[in-house]
Structures are given as C-alpha cells and as structure tokens.
Amino acid sequence: MEPAMHSRDQRPCPSPGPLNPRHLPYALLAAAFLAALLLLLLLWRAGQPGGFVSGLFQDLIRYGKTKGGSGQGPAWLRLLQVPKRWFTHFYVVSVLWNGFLLIWLFRAEFLGGSLPSWIQHVHRALGRDSQSEDTGCEHFSALLVLLLLWLHSCRRLAECLWTSVFSSGVIHIVQYCFGLAYYIAVGSTVLCQVPADVRNGKELSVQICWYHVVGVMMYVWASLHQHRCLVILANLRKSKSGKVVSLGHSVPFGDWFERVSCPHYFAELLIYVSMAITLGFHNLTWWCVVMYVLFNQALAAVLSHEFYQKNFSSYPKHRRAFIPFVF
C-alpha cells in the first residue's frame, strides 16, 4: 500500500549503518539500566546486603510506592526528593518542546523551507549531514513518528492532570532532572532522522508504506490499553462517584493486569516499538531508544512486582512483572 501525493524519489529507505554519535547515548543508557537491573537481582539473591553504596543505589532506582513516603530515610536523602506528581512536568515539557519541533518540521516539509540554524548545528553534532541520502519515506516516517510522540505526550499529560491520583510518593531529584532531559532529547532524536536541510525547496514527496499502517495501528492499540490500565489504577483510589477516597495501594484487576503487575509499563514499551516500526524497522538509533525503554521499564516493573508480592499475601502468583508469560 503506497499511495503518494507526489512521487519524485522511488529509492528504498536506507539500511542501517554503523554506530554513530546518534546511537551511542541511548545504547549507553540501555546498558546502564540493564546493569542496574542485573545488580538489583544480584542484591536480592544475596539478601540485599546493607551499606552506604547499596543505599544510594536503591535510593536512585526506586520511586513512588517502591521508595516509600517522603518522611522515610535519612534527612540528607530526603532533601534530594521531589513529589512523584511532578511527573506531570515531564509531559508539559514534552508537549511544548516536541510540539515546537513538530511545527518546524511540518513547515519545512510542506513549505519547502529549512530548519533553524541551531537545529542544523545539532544535526551536524550528532552526525547528520545536510547532504545525507534523501528519501521520501524517511521524511514522512520522521514526521509521523514526531506526531505520534507529541500525541502520546498530550495523552499522558491529560491523564496526569485528570485521571491519575498521586499519593505522597517521591522521586529522586536526579530521576526528575533526567526525565526532563530525556523528553527534550527524544524529540530531537526523531528530528535528526531527516537531513538538516529538509526539503531544500524541492517538491514534497509523501509515501504511505505498509509499515506506517502497521506502526500506527500498534500505537493506537498499545495506547488504548495503557489508558485503560491507568484508569484501573486511578479507580482503586476513587469511589463509584469518582471522588478520591484513599491514597493507599490496592491490588489492581482487569485488562492486562490479569497477566502482569505493570501492564502500563509494557504498553509504554509497545508504543516505542510501534514507532520503530513506523520508521521502517531499519532505524538503528530508534531501536537503541527501544532498548533503553525496555530496560528502564523492566527495572521499574520488577520493583513494583516486588512491592505487590511483599505487601499483599494473596497477590496472584501467575502474574509476571513486565512482559506477559515471559518476565
């Protein structure tokens, strides 16, 4: 299925090349979170020995219900904690920043202009030359993925504001700053998948390929399930009339919760995989992003799974932590 508005370039999408500066940051992040996950499992196997370094590590990787309230822990550590509800700030930044990038890319694609010079400098710093191979599917894929990323941020912001019920849980200030930086970087990463001088005054070529359709369908499917799971979590703290009656934790049931403890994390992974598909499978940079999301969400899911098992004696034993039937 490849209808085109204007077809001037029928070359296939480029194949992945060797690692370059665009791949490296996410590959390192993926490796760091994999190492953190393995270290956590080793600590559990060893009975979680105490110590200053172990305490710092646990404080850095835990948040919300897995960390405990803001009044727990040494006083100097509490100074480095901010409310978990500040997660909302991530999506405010993402909506504004990625919306800004989306507008610039849309204008460059449809009006035949170029991206601002400062964005072109970022392109070159990340190894993306304005003379890179120019293909219609590459342009449309990047535009579509940036749109999907922006819509995802809009939905998550709306859920933080009007669906989720945040308790007194906290996150480490390092996690908070990292989250803000990530949502700025990830949109810029999508933008760097097209040449800096986007159209150079040439006629727009839009090619809708089968992987665009598959990617968007998977994105919608995963997004719907993530929203349903977040509604289920919120309803645990609300009465039937919708009034918040508790800030405690309960065992969730329904939808993907029947298979895993953290289906909203699993859905987040599927959303990023859907974007990799939308980019045409070949984009190594985005697959590095997917690997980072995989290990990041797996670490959070394992900690949440441990919390449920430790605090609820009747917690369903068949549930996995993150991926149904697997992990």
Side-chain angles (χ1 to χ4, degrees), residues 31-247:
F33 276 91
L34 173 59
L37 177 60
L38 294 176
L39 179 57
L40 176 68
L41 297 177
L42 285 174
L43 287 173
W44 284 353
R45 190 179 184 89
Q48 292 198 9
F52 179 76
V53 175
S54 176
L56 278 180
F57 170 70
Q58 296 281 349
D59 191 59
L60 276 173
I61 65 172
R62 294 177 180 271
Y63 63 87
K65 61 180 176 289
T66 66
K67 180 188 286 284
S70 57
Q72 298 182 10
W76 68 273
L77 280 180
R78 295 200 299 271
L79 294 175
L80 302 176
Q81 296 173 350
V82 297
K84 184 188 173 184
R85 66 176 63 91
W86 284 16
F87 268 28
T88 307
H89 300 171
F90 298 164
Y91 303 112
V92 171
V93 168
S94 184
V95 168
L96 294 176
W97 174 250
N98 293 321
F100 166 75
L101 296 181
L102 183 62
I103 290 171
W104 271 109
L105 184 57
F106 186 87
R107 288 178 59 185
E109 289 284 7
F110 284 89
L111 301 180
S114 298
L115 296 172
S117 58
W118 64 269
I119 293 182
Q120 297 189 36
H121 291 321
V122 173
H123 274 66
R124 285 189 283 272
L126 294 175
R128 181 51 139 163
D129 192 349
S130 63
Q131 301 300 317
S132 299
E133 185 179 3
D134 183 9
T135 63
C137 65
E138 186 179 13
H139 286 274
F140 183 65
S141 297
L143 183 63
L144 185 55
V145 167
L146 192 55
L147 175 61
L148 295 178
L149 185 64
W150 181 75
L151 290 174
H152 176 60
S153 300
C154 289
R155 177 180 61 82
R156 290 294 294 118
L157 176 58
E159 289 166 343
C160 285
L161 292 174
W162 297 298
T163 301
S164 299
V165 180
F166 292 102
S167 65
S168 59
V170 296
I171 59 175
H172 198 284
I173 188 65
V174 172
Q175 294 171 313
Y176 175 73
C177 293
F178 175 81
L180 293 176
Y182 169 76
Y183 280 101
I184 292 175
V186 72
S188 305
T189 300
V190 177
L191 198 63
C192 287
Q193 305 313 301
V194 296
D197 192 4
V198 179
R199 301 308 307 172
N200 198 23
K202 297 178 182 178
E203 186 182 46
L204 173 67
S205 175
V206 176
Q207 297 176 321
I208 301 177
C209 302
W210 64 268
Y211 49 79
H212 295 146
V213 177
V214 173
V216 171
M217 289 177 63
M218 183 176 180
Y219 170 89
V220 172
W221 174 66
S223 298
L224 286 173
H225 278 285
Q226 186 177 58
H227 177 71
R228 289 174 185 169
C229 292
L230 291 171
V231 169
I232 289 172
L233 287 174
N235 286 341
L236 292 175
R237 295 175 171 175
K238 297 178 181 179
S239 65
K240 292 183 179 180
S241 63
K243 181 180 179 180
V244 176
V245 295
S246 172
L247 295 181

Side-chain angles (χ1 to χ4, degrees), residues 316-327:
K317 298 185 182 300
H318 67 275
R319 289 190 190 180
R320 301 294 185 179
F322 181 41
I323 302 176
F325 308 107
V326 177
F327 177 72

